[in-house]
Structures are given as C-alpha cells and as structure tokens.
Amino acid sequence: MTRRRDPFHMALMTLRTYARSGMFAPGSPIVIAEEARRLRLSTTPVREALAYLYGEGLIERSPSGGYLAPRLDVALIRDRFAFRLHCLEIGLALTTIIRVPPVAETTGAPDARARMDQLVRMAGNPVLAEAFQRVGCQLHVLLEPERRVFGDIDEEATSLVAALDHGDPQRILECLRTYHWRRIDAAGALVLETEAGRLGLDLRSD
C-alpha cells in the first residue's frame, strides 16, 4: 500500500515552488485557509510550511502577524543583486585556491550560478555562505525574466565559468561585477517581466 505523502513536505514543496516562480502577486497576503483548501490539507502543515519559508527569506511577515508574498520592486532587486555581488567579492578575497571546480555536468546559466555558490563556500565562512544562499533564493524568481530580458544568458554563463576555470582573481572579479551590474541596471525591466510572466503576458516586441 502506498504511504500518503507527508502533509508538511507537500505544503512546503508546493508553496516554495509558488514563491520561487512568482505565482503569488507580490506583497499580497497569503491566506492559510485558502492555501490549505487548494492543497487539500489542514491548516497546520500549511502554517508550518509558511513559517519555514519565512526563515528561508522566500515569504515575508505582515505587520498584522500573517504572511505576505515576497515584494518585488526595483530598489529591492538592485539591493539584492548588489548584496550578492558583495558576498562574492568577500568570498573571492578569502579564498586561497581560486580555481572553482565544476559542480555538475550541466551547461549554461544554471552551472554558472552553482559555480558562484561554490566560490562563496570555498571561502570557509558558513555565515557568508548562508547569507549568499538566502539572497539567491530571493532572486530565484528572476531566472526566467532574466532569460527574456537578456538574449545571451548562455554565452554570459560560459564566459563566467571560463573565468572561474582559469583561476585569475582579477578576471573573475571583472566577470562577477559585469554579471551583477548588468542586472542592477536592468532591475526595472526584470520586475516588469516577472509580473508579465505571472499574468501570462508577453512584453517582447515582434
């Protein structure tokens, strides 16, 4: 007989997917009873899952005590990319062995993000790694919008991975700064694309 899936795990996985993919309207209340009804669960595992996601930085707390979908505004996006770059700069400064080994047999942008995570972890500072991972989770919602805004995501990732493979700190630093400042400058377009994607719109011109 198949064992029924753990309710907390089911709620956590589903709600995390919603938050990471931008399915919630930014800043809107997340009503526990409604989510429980949608998932066909009791309110307890949904409440526990939201508390866990709040700890991950994917869900926000309302001043009234409830939960809110993550806000998405230009200033916030710029600050998060700037903070992620700062973590990488610190990680690079603290790392004695600069060459970052491949993480997995993948290509394109996902491998570049994994390699940046590896660079921070190589610094040996767990607090820095945790902060980097947290802001990375908060920026996950922008992955598809980035692909729509920038037409050369895979080429950009290949260049960054090549720099990490080469091991020259100055080259790595230049690539990391270019990567992040490009997104900081395009924060407005990324926010618009994220909202358009949630609404099923296509902002790209023919």
Side-chain angles (χ1 to χ4, degrees):
M1 184 174 72
T2 303
R3 184 178 179 182
R4 187 173 182 271
R5 192 176 181 184
D6 174 60
F8 168 73
H9 182 79
M10 179 180 177
L12 179 63
M13 294 299 102
T14 303
L15 294 172
R16 180 185 281 137
T17 298
Y18 289 171
R20 285 164 65 99
S21 61
M23 292 180 65
F24 292 125
S28 63
I30 300 176
V31 182
I32 293 174
E34 290 182 3
E35 297 304 323
R37 186 162 48 250
R38 190 204 316 248
L39 297 174
R40 298 182 180 180
L41 297 171
S42 69
T43 58
T44 298
V46 172
R47 182 179 293 104
E48 292 173 347
L50 289 171
Y52 193 94
L53 293 174
Y54 170 68
E56 289 186 346
L58 285 175
I59 294 295
E60 298 180 9
R61 288 302 298 263
S62 166
S64 62
Y67 293 98
L68 299 174
R71 291 169 296 138
L72 194 66
D73 60 59
V74 173
L76 193 63
I77 296 305
R78 286 174 176 161
D79 286 347
R80 285 174 176 168
F81 275 120
F83 180 76
R84 191 172 73 168
L85 174 59
H86 187 55
C87 289
L88 286 162
E89 289 173 338
I90 293 173
L92 186 60
L94 293 176
T95 301
T96 55
I97 302 176
I98 300 299
R99 290 196 63 192
V100 181
V103 176
E105 294 294 329
T106 58
T107 59
D111 183 61
R113 291 188 298 272
R115 298 286 286 280
M116 286 190 283
D117 181 73
Q118 183 76 350
L119 172 61
V120 172
R121 292 184 182 281
M122 286 171 61
N125 186 318
V127 175
L128 180 66
E130 182 181 352
F132 182 80
Q133 184 178 34
R134 182 182 178 90
V135 76
C137 287
Q138 293 170 334
L139 290 171
H140 190 278
V141 69
L142 298 177
L143 295 185
E144 283 305 314
E146 283 179 27
R147 186 166 289 278
R148 294 194 295 271
V149 169
F150 306 123
D152 60 348
I153 287 290
D154 292 338
E155 293 84 352
E156 177 189 54
T158 299
S159 177
L160 179 55
V161 168
L164 290 168
D165 283 340
H166 187 270
D168 176 19
Q170 188 58 40
R171 180 179 171 186
I172 293 172
L173 184 60
E174 290 174 359
C175 284
L176 291 173
R177 286 176 173 170
T178 299
Y179 181 100
H180 285 82
W181 274 104
R182 188 185 193 196
R183 285 153 176 78
I184 291 169
D185 290 340
L190 291 172
V191 169
L192 288 175
E193 279 290 350
T194 303
E195 184 63 8
R198 187 181 68 82
L199 299 174
L201 304 176
D202 190 346
L203 299 181
R204 292 169 292 182
S205 58
D206 295 332

